[in-house]
Amino acid sequence: MQSNRGTPLTPSQAASPHAAAVADSSVTRSASQQALILAGVCIAVLVLPLNFGGAAVSAPTIGTALRGSPVAINWILNAFMLSFGSSLMVAGALADLLGRKRVFAVGVALFAATSLGISAAPSLVWVDFLRALQGIAAALVLAGSSAALAQEFDGHGRARAFSMLGTTFGVGLALGPLLAGFLTQTFGWRSFFLADAAIGLTGFALGVPKLRESYDPHANGLDWPGAISFTAALTLFTFGLLQGPESGWSSPLIVALFVGAAVMAIAFVWIEGRVTRPMLDLSLFRYPRFVGVQVLPLATAFCYVTLLLVLPTRFIGIEGHTAIGAGLMMVSLSAPMLFVPLTAAHLTRWMSAGVISAIGLVIAAIGMLWFSGIGFDASATVLAIPLFVIGVGAGLPWGLMDGLSVSVVPKERAGMATGIFSTTRVAGEGMTLAVASAILAVLTRLRLADALPGSPDASAHAVTEAAQRVATGDLAHAAAFLPALGQPVLVHAYDGAFRVLLHMLVAITLASAIMVLGFLGRTPSPTSRDPASPTLS
């Protein structure tokens, strides 16, 4: 899978394993033109990581302002993650089929339009719907930008361009919570999405006009059956996880959702094994080391991404910090992404990428265990230290995963391998967030039920609804369902549930470290791709 310039395909090209670029290479770019194009693309792509962490800070305020149900509040984050993950492979195929520049431009425009729509949304239902569209737009932006830059730059220039794009993601992850906190507290939550739109449109104006168009001459359509079955499986499974605590895990609705997800997953595997040009080539899972690489994004999802999205709810809704204060504390977790991934790349001179990644996961687990022992009355400085340790630990595999995803398979399978990895990463992050949210709600419910005098059966619904409200940081409405308990008891229940959740995440992260060491401990350092190439999460 090579482009016409003889380089491995980018993630956005992964859906088309035989893709080749067709671009007007006769156009000569000056250094200033290339710099302008790169600046425009980076500014446009910046909205993805800004929105990723920033929306988590704004979510509690949005839920309170629009008075949505706990499930609807959870979908503020999950709708974006789910549609992003399930659309990434399709977006790559569309970039090859319709043109990389066109897909990038449509993605940026759609992202800006949905941001404007969210800023004017009259209800939480509209916010969730537009967030789902925004996830599709994010997939188009990431797919189109990666492929378009691969056609604009060659050799060391291409490496530098992707390094700059990777740095942009690090900056966005680090500054997103702080920006969202400042805008939400100063001008209201709608201002954050207005800023999203303004940043995206600025990048569009700078980067899109000068980009060249390029296509895959062999692209002949999309794997629609595969795309539909994959998206349906993810959607049904995630919705079941989010709805389970409210409807009951044995209710007919939840059982039907999980059964439907299993059927769609089986159908997807069956379809992909029989189509001529599959959206996702399952034969790559025959390589044991490639299977090991898929553990890394799931591990970082549990030890980093979940905290990036859940902690703002704790800081704002449970502990009562301001949005700005929560944003400042979240910087401790995300700031290491500015420098640790590049440090990890340098460390590969002395030890294998698999060993470095395993060490990073152990460090992250230590940080989470440390954080779990800190009380709710601790100062921001005390909280910042373990959060920083978690960020450093997660940053080590973060900087190596993309290169590993292609270095552990034959070179001619690099494009599809990267696409599978990207899909595993983004879709896995959405599912781990849903799993963590469901666990937190269930554990909180158990503690609230134990706290009720006599635990009357008539209050079962009230306990369930209150637990859901507490898990989303809405203490005021939770207390209304259980007036006999009071907010201190609700906070105590959340504290105990959150500690257990952290211990579960520690166990998963340590188990992942052992698996990574077993699969990848002797894997050579990745050299086929720049370690700083861009990823959102």
Side-chain angles (χ1 to χ4, degrees), residues 43-383:
I43 291 173
V45 169
L46 180 63
V47 295
L48 304 188
L50 281 177
N51 194 277
F52 186 72
V57 173
S58 300
T61 304
I62 298 173
T64 301
L66 298 183
R67 300 180 179 275
S69 69
V71 173
I73 295 172
N74 281 332
W75 276 106
I76 295 174
L77 302 177
N78 280 286
F80 178 85
M81 296 298 301
L82 179 62
S83 61
F84 187 15
S86 59
S87 303
L88 195 55
M89 296 291 286
V90 175
L94 287 173
D96 289 336
L97 181 66
L98 303 178
R100 286 75 182 247
K101 173 182 175 179
R102 180 175 300 165
V103 166
F104 172 65
V106 170
V108 175
L110 180 59
F111 199 99
T114 52
S115 294
L116 290 173
I118 293 171
S119 71
S123 69
L124 203 52
V125 172
W126 273 105
V127 172
D128 292 341
F129 171 72
L130 291 170
R131 284 284 289 171
L133 284 182
Q134 201 169 53
I136 296 174
L140 296 174
V141 171
L142 185 58
S145 63
S146 298
L149 285 183
Q151 305 307 315
E152 292 290 345
F153 295 88
D154 287 301
H156 293 299
R158 181 180 296 175
R160 287 193 297 269
F162 276 98
S163 178
M164 181 60 69
L165 205 56
T167 301
T168 299
F169 274 85
V171 170
L173 284 174
L175 298 183
L178 185 59
L179 176 65
F182 171 76
L183 291 176
T184 299
Q185 185 172 328
T186 306
F187 303 106
W189 65 267
R190 298 178 189 273
S191 65
F192 173 69
F193 294 97
L194 288 173
D196 257 353
I199 294 171
L201 292 175
T202 299
F204 184 98
L206 290 176
V208 171
K210 295 293 184 180
L211 276 176
R212 285 182 274 225
E213 187 59 280
S214 62
Y215 305 85
D216 169 18
H218 303 297
N220 56 5
L222 296 178
D223 174 19
W224 285 113
I228 293 171
S229 58
F230 180 72
T231 302
L234 275 179
T235 302
L236 293 173
F237 182 71
T238 303
F239 185 66
L241 288 174
L242 293 177
Q243 188 67 34
E246 181 172 320
S247 299
W249 295 103
S250 59
S251 68
L253 172 62
I254 302 304
V255 172
L257 288 171
F258 286 143
V259 170
V263 170
M264 288 295 99
I266 293 171
F268 173 71
V269 173
W270 185 85
I271 291 168
E272 296 306 281
R274 284 160 177 77
V275 297
T276 303
R277 298 190 65 180
M279 183 181 76
L280 192 153
D281 189 350
L282 299 174
S283 67
L284 282 175
F285 287 92
R286 297 172 184 171
Y287 300 99
R289 291 188 300 170
F290 180 75
V291 175
V293 169
Q294 310 313 308
V295 176
L296 288 173
L298 297 177
T300 54
F302 278 109
C303 72
Y304 177 72
V305 175
T306 296
L307 296 180
L308 190 68
L309 300 177
V310 171
L311 281 177
T313 296
R314 166 179 163 164
F315 292 150
I316 298 173
I318 305 299
E319 297 186 15
H321 291 282
T322 64
I324 293 178
L328 286 171
M329 286 188 284
M330 292 304 298
V331 170
S332 300
L333 178 64
S334 56
M337 289 299 169
L338 291 174
F339 61 91
V340 173
L342 293 177
T343 302
H346 289 298
L347 290 176
T348 56
R349 299 176 181 178
W350 297 280
M351 64 183 75
S352 76
V355 171
I356 296 171
S357 298
I359 291 173
L361 293 177
V362 172
I363 293 173
I366 292 172
M368 286 191 291
L369 190 61
W370 183 357
F371 188 78
S372 70
I374 299 176
F376 269 41
D377 57 348
S379 66
T381 302
V382 173
L383 292 172

Side-chain angles (χ1 to χ4, degrees), residues 285 294-295 297-298 419-429 431:
F285 287 92
Q294 310 313 308
V295 176
L298 297 177
I420 294 175
F421 171 80
S422 298
T423 301
T424 300
R425 168 176 247 176
V426 180
E429 287 166 356
M431 286 189 292

